[in-house]
Amino acid sequence: DNDGGLNDAELTALFAPTPGLPSSWVDSAFPSCTVRNEAGHITLQGWLAQWSMTTFEEPKTTLEYLAYLGFESQERGGTTAALKVTKARKRRNRPGRVERNVFLCYVLGAGGSGKSSLLSAFLNRPFSTTYHPTIKPRTSVNSVELQGGKQCYLILEELGELEPAILENQAKLDACDILCYTYDSSDPDSFAHIVELRKKYPQLDALPAIYTALKADQDKTMQRSELQPDDYTNASNMAAPLHVSVTWASISELFVHLAESATYPSTAFPKKNEQPVDRTNLYIALGATVCAAAAIAIIWKKTVSNS
Ligand SMILES: Nc1nc2c(ncn2[C@@H]2O[C@H](COP(=O)(O)OP(=O)(O)OP(=O)(O)O)[C@@H](O)[C@H]2O)c(=O)[nH]1
Ligand SMILES: [Mg+2]
C-alpha cells in the first residue's frame, strides 16, 4: 500500500508462492527481531536485515526462497549467483579486515544488567522500565554504518537460560564474531558475572570482545570485584568499558564500535604472552554475505507497489 512497510496482508501475499515463513524466522520471533516502523510494519531496512541474518545462519534457506520467489540469474548456477561465500573464520587475531558484512555478537552479562533493553534500543524501540527476565535466546538484527560509510549487518543475541549450554559448545562459539560483555554500572554485584564467565569458560578469550557498562544514566558505584572494571580490562590490554545508557540518543556509537571490532577483530583481543591457539581445523564455518540483498529488495518493492 506504498506506506514503506510490509503489513501482515502484504507479507502473506509475498510469501504466497512459498511454504510460508522460513522456520528460522518463526524461531527468532519474526518480526519482533528486526526493524519496524511505528505501525509495526517491516521496513525495507528490517526486511534486508532479516534476510541477511537468514543468509548468515542458513544460506540454503535464502537460496530456496529466492527460487520460490522467482529470482533468476543470467549466469550459470541459478540462485547461488546471488550469494557470496566468504572465508571461514580462522586466525582472527591476525591484523586485517574480515570481508564478510554480517556479524554475530553474543551479549553476555549478569541478569538485569540491561541486555534485552540494549537489543531493543538496537531496533530503535522506545525504552521500557518493566523488567522481563530473558528465558529463551533472543536476537535483534539491524544494519550499522561503519566509519567511511560502508554498511554491514549486526546480529545481537542474548542467550537467556541457554547461556551455559551455548558457551560450552565450541561450534556455537566459532559461529560468533564478537562478544559484548555487559554489566550494570549502578549495581555493585554486576561486574563479577563477567569475571566468573571468563574464568569458567577460558575459551571465550579466543574471541574478540568489547566491554560495556550499561545504565550510565544512573549513579555509578564501586564493583564488588577484585579489580574495578577499568583495571580489569587494562590487565588484559583491552579497551576500558564503554559507558552507555539506552535512555541516551547516542547509543548507536556502541553498535558501530561492535561492528568495527568484528570487522577488524585483532583490535579487540585480550593480550597475553602465550601463543594464540590455531583453531583452523576445528570448524569450517560458512559465512555467506548478502549479494542477495538486491534481489530481495526488488521482490520487496514489487510487493509493496502491487498491493
Ligand atoms: N535507568 C536505566 N534502566 C535500564 C537501562 N537499561 C535497562 N534498564 C532497566 O533494567 C532492567 C533490566 O533490563 P533488561 O534489559 O531486561 O536486563 P537483562 O540483562 O536482559 O536481564 P536478563 O534477561 O534477566 O538477563 C529493566 O527494568 C530495564 O528497564 C538503562 O540504560 N538505564
Ligand atoms: Mg534479558
Side-chain angles (χ1 to χ4, degrees):
D1 51 15
N2 270 319
D3 62 354
L6 290 175
N7 61 29
D8 288 348
E10 288 167 336
L11 265 183
T12 311
L14 201 164
F15 280 102
T18 75
L21 285 186
S23 62
S24 65
W25 290 30
V26 178
D27 294 342
S28 64
F30 176 82
S32 73
C33 57
T34 190
V35 198
R36 288 180 292 174
N37 62 19
E38 272 153 31
H41 303 158
I42 295 104
T43 61
L44 176 59
Q45 185 187 359
W47 175 247
L48 294 177
Q50 180 70 21
W51 276 108
S52 302
M53 176 162 78
T54 309
T55 309
F56 173 87
E57 288 170 350
E58 21 177 71
K60 258 196 188 147
T61 306
T62 301
L63 292 177
E64 200 184 313
Y65 276 78
L66 280 173
Y68 289 136
L69 296 170
F71 174 76
E72 277 166 52
S73 165
Q74 308 303 327
E75 293 164 46
R76 264 180 351 135
T79 56
T80 46
L83 302 195
K84 184 174 168 223
V85 175
T86 55
K87 278 189 222 140
R89 297 177 190 82
K90 53 181 179 184
R91 282 175 285 204
R92 318 186 210 215
N93 40 9
R94 295 266 174 91
R97 190 169 178 282
V98 174
E99 61 170 320
R100 209 154 16 88
N101 69 349
V102 187
F103 300 104
L104 175 62
C105 169
Y106 290 159
V107 182
L108 308 176
S113 58
K115 301 179 293 296
S116 298
S117 307
L118 191 68
L119 263 65
S120 297
F122 188 41
L123 304 179
N124 306 313
R125 303 246 168 89
F127 168 63
S128 147
T129 50
T130 43
Y131 173 36
H132 300 287
T134 305
I135 316 282
K136 278 202 325 181
R138 53 178 275 185
T139 50
S140 284
V141 57
N142 201 348
S143 52
V144 175
E145 194 178 314
L146 301 176
Q147 279 162 26
K150 206 178 164 288
Q151 186 186 252
C152 71
Y153 290 94
L154 185 63
I155 305 166
L156 297 183
E157 182 162 359
E158 181 187 4
L159 310 178
E161 285 183 345
L162 287 186
E163 187 177 88
I166 291 174
L167 300 185
E168 270 158 27
N169 183 333
Q170 190 59 48
K172 291 278 187 191
L173 286 184
D174 284 329
C176 169
D177 294 288
I178 179 123
L179 298 171
C180 178
Y181 291 117
T182 65
Y183 69 100
D184 173 351
S185 57
S186 67
D187 170 2
D189 295 312
S190 198
F191 192 74
H193 183 83
I194 300 177
V195 179
E196 274 158 35
L197 273 184
R198 284 192 57 217
K199 257 191 217 150
K200 196 162 167 205
Y201 307 103
Q203 58 274 37
L204 290 177
D205 283 359
L207 293 170
I210 295 297
Y211 288 79
T212 311
L214 297 174
K215 308 194 194 178
D217 56 300
Q218 298 194 325
D219 287 339
K220 186 178 160 191
T221 168
M222 293 283 283
Q223 291 292 323
R224 267 186 218 112
S225 162
E226 203 178 308
L227 289 173
Q228 289 305 304
D230 285 27
D231 300 325
Y232 181 84
T233 48
N234 200 12
S236 49
N237 281 313
M238 299 282 286
L242 205 64
H243 289 260
V244 294
S245 162
V246 296
T247 64
W248 294 349
S250 63
I251 191 155
S252 60
E253 197 191 315
L254 167 64
F255 304 127
V256 173
H257 191 46
L258 284 170
E260 295 266 350
S261 305
T263 312
Y264 299 96
S266 63
T267 58
F269 271 102
K271 288 175 196 71
K272 285 182 283 179
N273 296 327
E274 301 162 34
Q275 278 296 305
V277 196
D278 186 353
R279 306 178 318 126
T280 315
N281 298 325
L282 274 177
Y283 182 69
I284 308 291
L286 180 73
T289 54
V290 209
C291 291
I296 301 268
I298 290 166
I299 291 161
W300 187 88
K301 287 211 184 97
K302 258 198 215 153
T303 312
V304 170
S305 60
N306 282 350
S307 55

